[in-house]
Amino acid sequence: MDTGTPVTGGFGALLHLLRTRAGLSQEELAHAAGVSVRALSYLERGQSRGPQRRTVQALAAALRLDGAGAQELEHTASLGRPRRTRATVPPPAVVPDAVERNDASDLLPRAPRGFHGRVVELGALSRAAEGEAPVCLVVGPAGVGKTALVLRWAHHNRAGFPDGRLYADLRGFGDTGEPALMEVLREFLPALGVPLDRIPESVNGAAALFRSLAADRRLLVVLDNARASEQVRPLLPGGRHCVTVVTSRHRLPGLIVTDTARPVAVDVLGPEDGTMLLAAVLGTERVAAEPAAARRLAELCDGLPLALRVVAARLAQRPGLSLDAMAAELSDETRRLSLLDVEDTGVRAALRVTLQRLPQDASHQFAHLGRHPGTHVDRYTAAALADVDPAAAEAALERLALAHLVTETAPGRWAMHDLVRLYARSLDVVPETLRRVLDHYVTTGLAAVAAAEPGNEECFPLPADHLPPAAVREFGDRSAAVAWYAAERDDLTLAVAAARAAGLHDRTWRIVLTMWPLIVWRVRDGWIPLLETGLEAARADADRHGEARVLNVLGWVLIEEGRIEEALTHLEAASALASGTGDPVAEANALLVLAMAQAALGGPDEAARGCERAVELARTAGDRTVERLALQHLARHRADAGKWREALDTTTEALAFDDRSGTADIPGILLLMVRGEALLGLGDEAEGIGQLDLAAREAESSGYDDGAVRALGALLKVSADAGFRARYDTAVTRLTTRT
């Protein structure tokens, strides 16, 4: 739309004549010449009678003038340029006399349509804009709606900036290149009343003039899509009453340090707000007719406003398509990203540009994160994926976090939003990436086993083609190992599923077996499907030792769940396999768990004989840890048979072993329980209660809730102490509500 009337004669009139002859609007010519519409309007109205030569050349090229026409346009422009002398050139920081306060200029784009929600973020932005010369830094991932939020806030608060609202798109994440600083200042200064021919030619002079003009005004300056802090600093106004709002996909910590920028985080929308955004585009009736499908669409779009708007656009173009059908299409992960693109706009385009602005090491790490089978990574997992050392991986993760491509959900643990993960997965990486991360889990799991159950036998030898990670996490003690197991359980389970899907059977059962300390500590947490997957993989791998070990753990869990007959079948097979391997320690372990099943079926004497054989095998192998474990099981079966003196003597022998673990351990806790029961059986009530209380306290302090319930339950059979009851109830609550 043309604005203003050209003056009679001079450069403005000639430019207007040439433009109308060419059949171009001001918008079209401005776009073709690379100048703003406002600047072109000023030129045609004669507010700048002699523009700079490069501007004239750009206009001539856009008008497709021949040589003579271009010369005429340049000659006319030169006639209007003032002849300046040293005496008449004002210093850059001094406001030229020609500058007048005009009506408040407003360069803001229109307010966003279909905006919904963001009450918390709008409030945070208002608070950040308080005080003297605040710089507000609105940050968030690509497509999250940062610009829409700021424009909504800016239009709502127009009255607070009576001297003008300035806006510049710094194009830090676009394909068209970032604007030169002078280009932005040539937009800002005329908006503040400076004729184009009075704008200093140097960047420093123009920036100083901008700061001077802003010094005593109440301005809003919106700097959109900033890539880096250095892009922003020269455009910060100098006025005490000016408010600057910067948006970026990066966190720009430098701007926080040097200019006390106040961050305002913008994250994805919740399901309710996502649904309302769809309703704003599609109409409330269409969304209200399928509320569950609308909510599902919001979830599949990961709450990302850009994705939601693309989905809404697709649905608006296909009024006969149900929201449920659209959700079904999006549920296919192989198609989701393509469905969230419309022409050159969409999730992939936004993420691609963000990634292009990152250093190579960060983009390399990002691509490999897409092959992670789990939901979270630490520095060691990321290092294994990208085949780098943990320090380099952590630096890359922090860089990705600054760009909002990953989120640090807990100290040292990062995750991706679903759509970002799908995009990362679409990038090319070397084929062995999955095997590297699986081997990382195998190696780290073995280190955790060694810390959680010090002195126990090795789970298994490593695969022949094992890919060792650059570094392995170290666990200082059992509690550190158990904390790692608890944090990584879901990702370890997902790693098992990924290994199985890839046909990497040797990795599948090994990862399952590395989890056995957690299985022991949380035996009632639904481990059977995972163990059955491990058993299937060990058999497919034709590894008899691995099969025996998995059968052993599976049988033990089945016993705890009361499925004794099933357990017995598995455990007899485990014992036979272990005996056939010629490994006395593996055979001893198999006999111990088999004895548990036999005892549960009413055969404590048979169970005791199996444990006695296990003690002999462990002694033959010189394995004191397994020998102590076998004595603990033997004491249990003797106590169950009412042989109190034999049970007490066995616990005394086992407790005399040197436990180098440094913390309470499960066999030790169970030995204390049997010792307490044996003392009670022999009539020593006070000492028996003391031993059971000690067992309970060690179980409580080490997080062994199952053991605490058992010890406290035994105490309540002989004591009505209210403290025991309260501790028992607490332990039961922890055990039954644990996730």
Side-chain angles (χ1 to χ4, degrees):
M1 180 179 69
D2 290 359
T3 57
T5 304
V7 296
T8 303
F11 180 82
L14 177 59
L15 179 61
H16 177 77
L17 176 64
L18 292 171
R19 178 176 63 78
T20 53
R21 282 180 179 174
L24 298 174
S25 67
Q26 281 191 345
E27 288 84 355
E28 291 168 337
L29 178 57
H31 178 74
V35 300
S36 69
V37 176
R38 183 180 295 275
L40 187 60
S41 176
Y42 285 154
L43 289 171
E44 290 194 358
R45 290 188 309 215
Q47 289 185 254
S48 177
R49 292 176 297 128
Q52 295 182 30
R53 182 173 285 105
R54 58 189 173 195
T55 301
V56 177
Q57 291 172 343
L59 290 168
L63 290 165
R64 298 185 178 181
L65 301 179
D66 58 18
Q71 286 180 358
E72 181 185 3
L73 189 64
E74 166 56 27
H75 176 70
T76 306
S78 68
L79 294 176
R81 292 177 189 139
R83 297 180 178 275
R84 292 182 288 178
T85 66
R86 289 185 184 273
T88 59
V89 177
V94 175
V95 179
D97 294 337
V99 175
E100 297 181 359
R101 282 194 182 248
N102 50 5
D103 293 336
S105 297
D106 194 342
L107 300 185
L108 291 175
R110 63 171 174 79
R113 297 169 183 165
F115 187 91
H116 180 80
R118 298 295 193 194
V119 174
V120 173
E121 291 87 346
L122 289 168
L125 182 52
S126 292
R127 289 190 296 275
E130 295 173 353
E132 184 174 311
V135 177
C136 311
L137 180 56
V138 179
V139 295
V144 82
K146 300 178 293 295
T147 301
L149 172 77
V150 170
L151 292 178
R152 172 66 172 238
W153 180 87
H155 281 281
H156 184 73
N157 292 280
R158 293 165 65 95
F161 308 102
D163 295 322
R165 280 84 47 192
L166 306 181
Y167 172 90
D169 184 356
L170 301 184
R171 304 198 297 269
F173 303 94
D175 289 327
T176 57
E178 299 170 7
L181 177 57
M182 199 65 182
E183 181 182 337
V184 178
L185 291 169
R186 286 201 187 99
E187 288 274 344
F188 283 4
L189 290 173
L192 296 177
V194 181
L196 289 174
D197 61 349
R198 302 293 285 171
I199 295 176
E201 293 187 4
S202 72
V203 172
N204 289 339
L209 176 57
F210 170 61
R211 289 191 295 271
S212 297
L213 290 171
D216 61 346
R217 305 193 190 202
R218 300 182 68 87
L219 291 174
L220 170 64
V221 179
V222 177
L223 303 174
D224 200 12
N225 291 313
R227 174 188 51 81
S229 300
E230 59 267 23
Q231 236 190 332
V232 172
R233 291 192 186 102
L235 295 170
L236 297 179
R240 294 174 56 249
H241 304 295
C242 294
V243 174
T244 306
V245 180
V246 181
T247 76
S248 182
R249 298 180 191 180
H250 295 172
R251 291 180 183 167
L252 305 187
L255 203 63
I256 298 174
V257 172
T258 60
D259 296 277
T260 323
R262 303 167 183 176
V264 176
V266 183
D267 206 344
V268 297
L269 296 171
E272 183 176 345
D273 281 342
T275 301
M276 293 302 295
L277 191 153
L278 289 174
V281 179
L282 299 174
T284 54
E285 289 186 7
R286 189 173 179 185
V287 171
E290 297 182 80
R295 188 179 182 89
R296 177 62 177 152
L297 284 174
E299 292 170 349
L300 289 168
C301 289
D302 215 10
L304 197 66
L306 173 62
L308 285 162
R309 291 184 182 279
V310 171
V311 166
R314 287 190 177 279
L315 286 165
Q317 292 172 340
R318 302 164 68 185
L321 184 69
S322 69
L323 273 63
D324 188 62
M326 186 76 232
E329 292 184 23
L330 282 177
S331 295
D332 182 354
E333 287 193 351
T334 62
R335 299 184 59 214
R336 191 177 306 166
L337 283 177
S338 63
L339 290 170
L340 295 178
D341 286 339
V342 173
E343 296 180 346
D344 61 346
T345 299
V347 175
R348 281 191 299 197
L351 292 172
R352 174 177 52 79
V353 174
T354 301
L355 197 61
Q356 287 173 345
R357 298 294 185 270
L358 292 176
Q360 196 277 334
D361 57 343
S363 58
H364 172 81
Q365 183 69 69
F366 177 81
H368 287 81
L369 290 176
R371 293 299 188 273
H372 180 46
T375 58
H376 292 79
V377 296
D378 59 16
R379 64 201 297 260
Y380 295 96
T381 309
L385 283 161
D387 196 20
V388 297
D389 64 79
E394 186 170 26
L397 286 167
E398 289 174 350
R399 190 69 187 81
L400 293 171
L402 288 174
H404 292 93
L405 290 172
V406 300
T407 302
E408 192 171 12
T409 57
R413 286 174 63 78
W414 289 267
M416 284 178 162
H417 285 298
D418 284 347
L419 294 179
V420 178
R421 176 181 52 80
L422 287 177
Y423 179 70
R425 189 181 292 172
S426 71
L427 303 175
D428 290 333
V429 296
V430 293
E432 63 266 21
T433 299
L434 176 62
R435 192 153 54 92
R436 278 203 306 261
V437 75
L438 294 176
D439 285 352
H440 150 74
Y441 280 126
V442 169
T443 308
T444 309
L446 287 174
V449 170
E453 298 294 338
N456 261 282
E457 67 167 311
E458 289 289 333
C459 287
F460 44 74
L462 294 171
D465 59 346
H466 175 72
L467 297 174
V472 181
R473 175 189 287 274
E474 295 180 358
F475 300 97
D477 53 23
R478 176 181 286 114
S479 61
V482 172
W484 178 81
Y485 275 124
E488 297 291 336
R489 174 179 174 176
D490 289 344
D491 280 353
L492 287 167
T493 303
L494 290 169
V496 168
R500 180 189 188 188
L504 296 171
H505 306 300
D506 52 352
R507 271 73 175 176
T508 305
W509 67 262
R510 282 177 166 86
I511 296 174
V512 171
L513 269 186
T514 62
M515 298 173 71
W516 76 260
L518 185 64
I519 296 173
V520 169
W521 282 53
R522 298 185 174 182
V523 67
R524 298 190 180 121
D525 272 9
W527 296 104
I528 289 177
L530 182 72
L531 288 164
E532 288 176 338
T533 297
L535 178 60
E536 173 191 278
R539 286 171 173 166
D541 193 32
D543 192 300
R544 295 170 64 82
H545 180 268
E547 183 182 354
R549 291 299 304 273
V550 177
L551 280 168
N552 216 31
V553 180
L554 176 57
W556 188 71
V557 173
L558 286 166
I559 291 171
E560 293 294 326
E561 293 195 359
R563 297 160 63 176
I564 312 300
E565 295 291 347
E566 292 177 66
L568 190 64
T569 300
H570 289 310
L571 293 167
E572 287 173 342
S575 180
L577 282 168
S579 177
T581 63
D583 184 342
V585 173
E587 186 179 355
N589 273 312
L591 285 170
L592 293 179
V593 186
L594 177 59
M596 292 173 63
Q598 292 166 339
L601 291 172
D605 292 334
E606 183 183 11
R609 286 193 295 273
C611 291
E612 289 169 351
R613 172 60 179 156
V615 171
E616 293 173 4
L617 288 166
R619 284 175 178 164
T620 300
D623 193 317
R624 297 278 285 173
T625 300
V626 175
E627 182 184 351
R628 179 172 179 260
L629 180 66
L631 287 170
Q632 174 242 309
H633 280 267
L634 178 58
R636 174 77 270 164
H637 298 311
R638 285 174 172 171
D640 289 343
K643 299 177 180 179
W644 304 118
R645 175 56 60 185
E646 292 179 55
L648 182 61
D649 291 343
T650 305
T651 61
T652 301
E653 179 184 0
L655 287 168
F657 278 45
D658 182 18
D659 176 23
R660 295 183 176 84
S661 65
T663 59
D665 63 315
I666 290 179
I669 292 169
L670 295 174
L671 280 165
L672 288 172
M673 287 186 206
V674 176
R675 184 175 178 81
E677 292 175 27
L679 287 165
L680 289 172
L682 293 170
D684 192 345
E685 184 172 305
E687 185 63 23
I689 288 175
Q691 290 293 295
L692 286 170
D693 187 26
L694 177 60
R697 291 187 184 281
E698 292 205 9
E700 290 166 329
S701 66
S702 59
Y704 181 27
D705 297 326
D706 191 64
V709 168
R710 294 185 188 191
L712 289 163
L715 279 169
L716 289 174
K717 293 178 181 178
V718 294
S719 172
D721 185 280
F724 293 155
R725 169 57 63 183
R727 288 163 60 195
Y728 176 82
D729 291 342
T730 299
V732 169
T733 299
R734 283 200 307 267
L735 188 65
T736 55
T737 61
R738 185 177 54 215
T739 57

